[in-house]
């Protein structure tokens, strides 16, 4: 698998464009470093209804052996979704992005996990330690050792 | 940037859309490429040797490596070669894929003689425009694809156990069957060399035609057609010219080694030995994966090729570093400075190589480099 990771990302990009999952679309993917993926929550969860959120994926050459770095980014008219596992700086506490990563996961599968994490949420609130975390958070969420909350939220 | 990447979806726009399932089944779930030296795990999942070895190498020392698909524990020494998959992929990659795909695409264009019954047309409206002339028999006879073009009709018997493969996600063309009786000469072209022959002949001919093609394109001195056994020559061709490095490299407990000792290990292996301990460790680990995965190939590549692969890895490390701790400019400078190391080592390895082995490996290597470039 020489050149493996750009080749694989090329395939993933084709897939994302040709067979997109409902509510997931590529906003920008000009290279193999950073992609911006827009997601919408499809069921009528009142917390996220009508809103589009933007995920930023950063890839290293170790992808997909190592997880990509994934976080929400704010932009004009685009906010960081409110969720008990999503910090206001966009960092996401989700095991698939850390210890739960497997190289058979894809950008699409990660986006879908996050989409369903939003869909299943009924608490319109930030994590309890949001202020403390955001004040001291590393630039990359991958350098945070999240203690994963249980998934029943 | 994505034009030349082969993908299971390549079949979807053709009348042979079901072959996308076969195409997907022959790919490693980690790299999404056709398997290279497939290895089967204890949990019976398969991955390229290099992919699963890298995966295991990347597992933190505090954890037990696990299968990327099912998370069952995986032990590197218990990996076994998946010979039959390797042979199927070898056949597929050596030209069968390309040949079948071009036949399929041809079939999609000329649809003069298609006979479509109404019921079927209703069922697969989306597919009907491209796929009308291909119908898969679902009756008791062997499963066959029939592709009509304006000038010829070819019949490819894929496999009689086709029905076991799950259906493709596309609207399929199940159900109907096109008779061959309106043929002009009764002959069909070989999808590889285009020679016309009877349907019976072509199924037997394709194998020998493919291995012939593989042999002539690799220009190595392989055994001529005398060994027409059931074993594919493409895989066995150069067993006599295999470079003599069949021994796996052991893993190292890096925490037990001082930086100078580790550097010495890299020098002994004749791989670049610059950089700090972290760089040495990463390079050594990568080399062990590359080397051991090469041992798993039925036709191992020459060391020059492995060194090039290591160089490519190091270059992508520079271009796509993890995290943002070091500035991109600094890394690029570093890459340029040390590129000479690899060039010298590759030249050295080439000088030491037996002549015939080199010829073989070089051709292989080039093909691979080309497909890489195409991927970018
Ligand atoms: Zn692979
Ligand atoms: Zn498994
Ligand atoms: Zn032929």
């Amino acid at each position: 698998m020489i050149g493996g990771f750009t080749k694989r990302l090329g395939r993933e990009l084709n897939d994302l464009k040709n067979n997109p999952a409902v509510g997931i679309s590529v906003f920008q993917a000009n290279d193999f470093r950073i992609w911006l993926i827009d997601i919408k929550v499809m069921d009528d969860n009142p917390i996220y209804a009508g809103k589009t959120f933007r995920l930023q994926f950063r890839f290293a050459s170790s992808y997909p052996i190592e997880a990509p770095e994934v976080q929400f980014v704010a932009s004009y008219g685009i906010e960081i979704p409110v969720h008990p596992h999503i910090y206001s700086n966009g960092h996401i506490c989700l095991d698939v992005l850390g210890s739960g990563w497997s190289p058979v996961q894809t950008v699409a599968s990660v986006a879908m996990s996050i989409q369903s994490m939003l869909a299943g949420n009924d608490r319109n609130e930030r994590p309890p330690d949001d202020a403390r975390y955001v004040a001291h958070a590393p630039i990359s969420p991958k350098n945070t050792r999240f203690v994963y909350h249980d998934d029943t939220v | 940037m994505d034009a030349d990447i082969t993908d299971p979806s390549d079949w979807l726009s053709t009348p042979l859309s079901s072959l996308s399932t076969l195409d997907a089944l022959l790919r490693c779930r980690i790299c999404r490429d056709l398997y290279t030296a497939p290895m089967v795990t204890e949990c019976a999942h398969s991955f390229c040797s290099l992919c699963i070895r890298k995966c295991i190498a990347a597992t933190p020392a505090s954890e037990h490596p696990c299968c990327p698909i099912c998370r069952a524990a995986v032990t590197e020494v218990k990996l076994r070669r998946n010979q039959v998959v390797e042979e199927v992929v070898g056949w597929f990659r050596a030209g069968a894929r390309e040949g079948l795909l071009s036949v399929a695409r041809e079939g999609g264009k000329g649809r003069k003689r298609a006979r479509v019954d109404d019921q079927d047309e209703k069922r697969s409206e989306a597919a009907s425009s491209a796929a009308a002339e291909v119908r898969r028999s679902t009756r008791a006879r062997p499963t066959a694809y029939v592709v009509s073009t304006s000038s010829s009709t070819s019949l490819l018997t894929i496999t009689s156990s086709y029905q076991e493969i799950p259906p493709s996600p596309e609207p399929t063309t199940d159900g109907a069957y096109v008779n061959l009786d309106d043929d002009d000469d009764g002959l069909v072209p070989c999808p590889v060399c285009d020679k016309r022959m009877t349907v019976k002949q072509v199924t037997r001919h394709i194998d020998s035609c493919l291995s012939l093609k593989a042999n002539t394109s690799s220009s190595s001195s392989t055994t001529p057609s005398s060994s027409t056994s059931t074993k594919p020559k493409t895989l066995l061709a150069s067993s006599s010219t295999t470079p003599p490095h069949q021994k796996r490299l052991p893993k190292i407990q890096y925490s037990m080694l001082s930086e100078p000792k580790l550097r010495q290990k890299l020098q002994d292996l004749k791989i670049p030995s610059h950089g700090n301990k972290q760089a040495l460790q990463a390079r050594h680990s990568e080399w062990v994966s590359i080397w051991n995965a090469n041992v798993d190939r039925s036709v191992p590549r020459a060391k020059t090729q492995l060194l090039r692969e290591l160089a490519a890895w190091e270059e992508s490390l520079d271009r796509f570093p993890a995290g943002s701790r070091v500035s991109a400019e600094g890394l690029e400078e570093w890459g340029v400075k040390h590129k000479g190391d690899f060039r010298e080592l590759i030249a050295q390895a080439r000088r030491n190589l037996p002549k015939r082995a080199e010829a073989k490996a070089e051709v292989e290597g080039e093909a691979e480099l080309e497909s890489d470039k195409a991927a970018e």
Side-chain angles (χ1 to χ4, degrees):
Chain A
M1 58 167 247
I2 320 170
F5 99 101
T6 54
K7 230 168 162 179
R8 178 173 140 159
L9 279 173
R11 286 197 176 94
E12 285 199 48
L13 191 56
N14 279 349
D15 260 8
L16 281 165
K17 287 179 171 168
N18 300 335
N19 322 297
V22 182
I24 292 170
S25 60
V26 178
F27 176 74
Q28 193 186 82
N30 299 329
D31 55 30
F32 294 122
R33 285 165 207 257
I34 296 183
W35 291 0
L36 297 174
I37 306 291
D38 284 356
I39 65 172
K40 285 183 182 152
V41 181
M42 296 322 284
D43 15 339
D44 33 321
N45 185 331
I47 305 176
Y48 312 111
K51 291 179 181 163
T52 296
F53 303 105
R54 188 157 293 161
L55 286 168
Q56 175 184 273
F57 285 73
R58 288 173 64 100
F59 308 101
S61 61
S62 52
Y63 179 83
I65 304 292
E66 312 270 8
E69 183 188 302
V70 185
Q71 67 174 92
F72 279 105
V73 290
S75 175
Y76 182 74
I78 292 186
E79 345 161 344
I80 310 285
V82 176
H83 185 288
H85 297 171
I86 299 172
Y87 293 91
S88 50
N89 65 353
H91 289 194
I92 307 161
C93 174
L94 180 67
D95 66 341
V96 151
L97 304 176
S99 63
W101 172 258
S102 146
V104 303
Q105 302 272 4
T106 62
V107 172
S109 72
V110 166
M112 282 157 72
S113 301
I114 294 172
Q115 194 184 35
S116 72
M117 166 177 152
L118 294 179
N121 176 40
D122 55 7
R123 282 156 58 191
N124 194 0
E125 57 194 49
R126 294 276 178 215
D129 57 339
D130 188 49
R132 192 158 34 98
Y133 176 76
V134 171
H136 301 104
I139 294 170
S140 163
K142 286 196 78 178
N143 295 332
T144 301
R145 245 172 210 278
F146 286 113
V147 177
Y148 301 110
H149 311 79
D150 77 71
D151 255 355
T152 51
V153 180
Chain B
M1 74 190 158
D2 44 22
D4 290 305
I5 305 175
T6 70
D7 192 86
S9 62
D10 295 347
W11 301 95
L12 294 181
S13 57
T14 79
L16 299 184
S17 60
S18 309
L19 281 189
S20 76
T21 305
L22 173 67
D23 197 306
L25 288 172
L26 296 179
R27 284 171 194 273
C28 163
R29 291 275 304 277
I30 298 177
C31 64
R32 301 268 168 138
D33 233 327
L34 294 169
Y35 285 113
T36 300
M39 304 299 279
V40 63
T41 59
E42 296 146 84
C43 50
H45 286 117
S46 287
F47 306 94
C48 303
S49 179
L50 185 56
C51 289
I52 188 64
R53 288 179 188 282
K54 278 188 176 198
C55 215
I56 291 169
T59 309
S62 56
E63 293 163 33
H64 197 282
C66 67
C67 169
I69 293 175
C70 69
R71 302 221 166 256
V74 168
T75 313
E76 192 161 5
V77 294
K78 290 192 179 161
L79 295 172
R80 288 289 172 268
R81 290 179 55 192
N82 195 338
Q83 175 96 30
V84 72
V85 168
E86 180 168 34
E87 287 178 11
V88 173
V89 170
W91 160 82
F92 199 53
R93 203 194 324 245
R97 184 183 195 278
E98 205 183 328
L100 289 168
L101 196 56
S102 73
V103 170
R105 284 180 172 149
E106 277 298 300
K109 277 181 219 151
R111 43 188 300 262
K112 269 185 187 169
R113 270 176 257 172
R115 282 192 213 157
V116 187
D117 61 283
D118 298 341
Q119 196 195 0
D120 189 61
E121 196 162 48
K122 257 177 260 152
R123 262 201 299 145
S124 59
E125 265 177 34
S128 64
S129 66
E133 53 286 280
V134 170
R135 292 294 176 262
R136 181 160 60 83
S137 165
T138 52
R139 292 159 212 171
R141 67 194 103 185
T143 305
Y145 281 100
V146 183
V147 182
S148 315
T149 63
S150 46
S151 66
S152 67
T153 301
S154 57
L155 181 139
L156 305 164
T157 304
I158 308 291
T159 156
S160 55
S161 62
Y162 174 84
Q163 264 78 0
E164 287 172 23
I165 300 169
S168 79
E170 274 265 304
T172 51
T173 56
D174 288 6
Y177 188 76
V178 175
N179 281 320
L180 288 165
D181 53 16
D182 54 353
D183 234 359
D184 8 40
D185 58 356
L187 297 180
V188 299
C190 161
V192 182
C193 69
D194 245 10
K195 214 182 279 172
R196 294 181 69 79
M197 58 196 77
T198 67
V199 169
K200 251 189 199 162
Q201 282 170 321
V202 86
T203 47
R204 243 189 280 157
H205 162 89
I206 286 179
D207 256 348
S208 58
C209 186
L210 283 175
S211 43
L212 199 74
K213 198 183 169 195
N215 283 353
T216 43
S217 66
S218 69
S219 73
S220 63
S221 55
T222 48
T223 39
S225 54
S226 61
S227 64
T228 14
S229 64
T230 49
K231 293 175 177 176
K233 265 181 277 167
T234 43
L235 293 182
L236 300 177
S238 59
S239 50
S240 58
T241 59
T242 296
H245 49 63
Q246 296 287 358
K247 261 181 102 182
R248 291 208 174 79
L249 293 174
K251 299 224 152 187
I252 289 184
Q253 286 289 353
Y254 297 108
S255 55
M256 312 290 284
L257 275 184
S258 67
E259 184 173 324
K261 283 230 170 94
L262 181 55
R263 197 179 306 281
Q264 188 55 49
K265 288 253 180 211
L266 272 72
Q267 280 161 5
D268 294 346
L269 290 167
K270 298 199 168 59
I271 59 175
S273 56
H274 56 266
N276 59 20
K277 189 176 176 192
Q278 202 188 352
L280 294 172
Q281 180 177 329
R283 191 182 304 121
H284 183 272
S285 167
E286 184 73 13
W287 180 250
V288 171
S289 294
I290 291 175
W291 183 276
N292 290 349
N294 191 51
V295 176
D296 294 327
R297 288 176 164 235
S298 2
V299 184
R301 295 170 306 160
K303 191 181 174 189
T304 52
Q305 185 55 37
L306 304 187
L307 280 166
R308 246 182 249 147
E309 203 174 325
L310 186 67
W313 165 80
E314 195 122 10
E315 207 181 295
S316 75
L317 206 64
D318 297 349
R319 278 199 296 153
F320 304 93
S324 38
R325 270 154 283 154
V326 195
S327 77
E329 296 92 301
L331 279 163
E332 246 141 60
E333 230 169 74
W334 185 87
V336 170
K337 214 168 79 200
H338 293 285
K339 212 160 273 174
D341 274 15
F342 279 106
R343 226 176 280 138
E344 177 51 28
L345 285 166
I346 289 169
Q348 246 177 46
R350 185 175 296 165
R351 279 196 296 274
N352 298 337
L353 217 59
K355 262 275 175 302
R356 280 159 74 219
E358 186 183 24
K360 170 70 185 165
E362 283 305 292
V363 171
E364 274 209 351
E366 238 120 74
E368 233 154 287
L369 284 181
E370 263 165 43
S371 67
D372 275 352
K373 263 180 232 144
E376 301 195 323

